Amino acid sequence: MSPIDEMFEEIFGKAPNKAGTAYEMLACIAEHLMSQGDVKHDDKIRGAFSDSLYQIDVLSEDGSDKSMGEAKDYTIQNKKVGRGDMQKLGGALPDLPDINKGKFFSATGYTAPAKKYAAASENFPSGKPIEIFEFRPSTERDEEGTIQTIVIHMHFIIPHPQQAKWKPHLTEAGIKACKALFSEGETEYQYSLNLEKFYDSSGNEILSVQELTSQNYGEVNSDTKSAHGSFILKDHYIYIDSVLAELKGLEYEVPHGEMHETMEITDNSKCRFVVKDSNGEIIRFITDEQIKGYSFDENGNLVAP
């Protein structure tokens, strides 16, 4: 049993009896995570010209893009995929008109001649491109520099408008209009004001306090823990008792509370596999949880989570 078979058994609870099958099935999962298309394991297609029956480890279809994938686990032999394996795939592609590219998955990497053949494959007569991937268990070195935990420090400033102080400032015309409320000989007039709406000079509603304050209350003073300022309200009026009084603006002081929270987003899932492209660049990591979400039906079709 290869190390890949052992990992497959650890994840799924059992491993296929046939050598190499576990790696082929894992390659199907990796292909789906990359392409998001329809993927099938161990399919067979008959050649259009040779009438040969080709066994395909990873058959992937995403719209008009249809690929034939080979998957080789040479971890027991401790060898890389060579030119011979690559030529076998390259020779089959012209015989399969519906397949427009080949893909190769190797658990141990590729020899230089194999890489050279894959890079030149679409330049051969009737040739088609071959994409190669190193798909193997990840190591600590692969994961160096990856982000495992994101820490977010949050500072909330929460206004308390129900405790706010509001002070309307009237124009000279507004003050003069309010003098009509004074009884003869009075120099002071007290009133209760339910401030909800603002009006035009004809008494038509043009703005509510909610609309006025819906954007914000301005900057918060860190010493007083409140926002203090004013809204300039030219050509706006309020009712003071029965009098329509013209405003200069509305002064306010709104206390604010503070709250501090820290949130950590941690990826505790174990990275089991890494996928690298032909240049050795990491395409993606694949975790236990991602792999466990997949299954295969009786016809070999990959069932995505």
Side-chain angles (χ1 to χ4, degrees):
M1 182 178 286
S2 78
I4 304 291
D5 294 329
E6 292 174 359
M7 292 178 69
F8 188 99
E9 185 172 27
E10 183 180 342
I11 294 170
F12 288 106
K14 62 179 181 179
N17 295 324
K18 184 180 176 182
T21 300
Y23 184 72
E24 294 169 6
M25 295 171 73
L26 290 168
C28 288
I29 295 173
E31 167 61 21
H32 182 267
L33 287 168
M34 290 190 293
S35 71
Q36 297 297 310
D38 295 323
V39 181
K40 189 173 183 179
H41 170 245
D42 193 22
D43 200 10
K44 292 178 175 61
I45 300 179
R46 191 167 298 279
F49 309 107
S50 69
D51 203 39
S52 299
L53 192 62
Y54 295 96
Q55 186 272 334
I56 301 175
D57 297 337
V58 182
L59 181 65
S60 178
E61 186 171 2
D62 181 17
S64 60
D65 188 17
K66 193 171 185 179
S67 65
M68 168 187 182
E70 282 286 307
K72 294 296 182 185
D73 174 17
Y74 286 152
T75 52
I76 291 179
Q77 298 93 324
N78 192 28
K79 71 172 187 177
K80 297 181 178 181
V81 167
R83 181 186 177 103
D85 288 315
M86 203 65 65
Q87 283 181 305
K88 183 180 177 182
L89 174 59
L93 290 171
D95 201 16
L96 300 170
D98 291 340
I99 303 293
N100 53 24
K101 72 170 67 172
K103 293 185 179 182
F104 215 113
F105 298 86
S106 170
T108 51
Y110 302 87
T111 64
K115 291 181 180 180
K116 187 175 181 180
Y117 182 93
S121 60
E122 63 181 319
N123 297 322
F124 301 149
S126 303
K128 296 179 182 180
I130 297 176
E131 297 177 2
I132 61 174
F133 303 96
E134 185 179 352
F135 171 52
R136 58 167 175 76
S138 66
T139 64
E140 289 186 4
R141 186 173 180 180
D142 293 324
E143 297 170 27
E144 286 179 1
T146 59
I147 297 174
Q148 299 294 327
T149 301
I150 299 173
V151 180
I152 303 173
H153 298 287
M154 295 173 286
H155 178 203
F156 298 96
I157 299 177
I158 306 167
H160 299 301
Q162 68 277 11
Q163 300 170 19
K165 297 177 182 177
W166 303 90
K167 184 178 180 181
H169 288 269
L170 303 180
T171 64
E172 290 297 327
I175 294 173
K176 184 177 180 180
C178 288
K179 287 183 178 180
L181 298 169
F182 285 57
S183 298
E184 186 176 351
E186 289 184 336
T187 58
E188 183 177 305
Y189 181 80
Q190 293 187 2
Y191 63 93
S192 296
L193 178 64
N194 184 15
L195 187 61
E196 292 183 357
K197 304 179 189 304
F198 301 96
Y199 305 87
D200 62 16
S201 60
S202 299
N204 300 308
E205 180 186 334
I206 56 174
L207 181 69
S208 69
V209 172
Q210 181 180 359
E211 291 168 341
L212 178 66
T213 60
S214 62
Q215 298 302 315
N216 56 58
Y217 295 107
E219 294 294 325
V220 177
N221 186 306
S222 58
D223 295 327
T224 63
K225 298 293 189 296
S226 65
H228 182 268
S230 61
F231 296 105
I232 304 301
L233 296 170
K234 185 180 179 181
D235 298 325
H236 285 64
Y237 294 73
I238 58 173
Y239 274 106
I240 298 177
D241 285 346
S242 59
V243 172
L244 191 61
E246 184 181 20
L247 283 170
K248 285 182 180 178
L250 183 66
E251 186 180 358
Y252 63 87
E253 184 176 356
V254 182
H256 285 65
E258 292 186 286
M259 183 172 66
H260 296 268
E261 293 285 346
T262 298
M263 180 173 66
E264 289 190 6
I265 304 173
T266 302
D267 185 3
N268 294 319
S269 56
K270 187 173 181 180
C271 290
R272 283 303 185 118
F273 290 89
V274 62
V275 184
K276 294 186 174 183
D277 62 18
S278 58
N279 296 317
E281 298 293 328
I282 294 174
I283 298 175
R284 69 176 303 135
F285 290 101
I286 302 177
T287 67
D288 274 10
E289 293 305 313
Q290 287 175 312
I291 295 171
K292 286 178 182 177
Y294 285 90
S295 61
F296 294 83
D297 66 19
E298 58 184 12
N299 295 315
N301 295 298
L302 182 67
V303 180

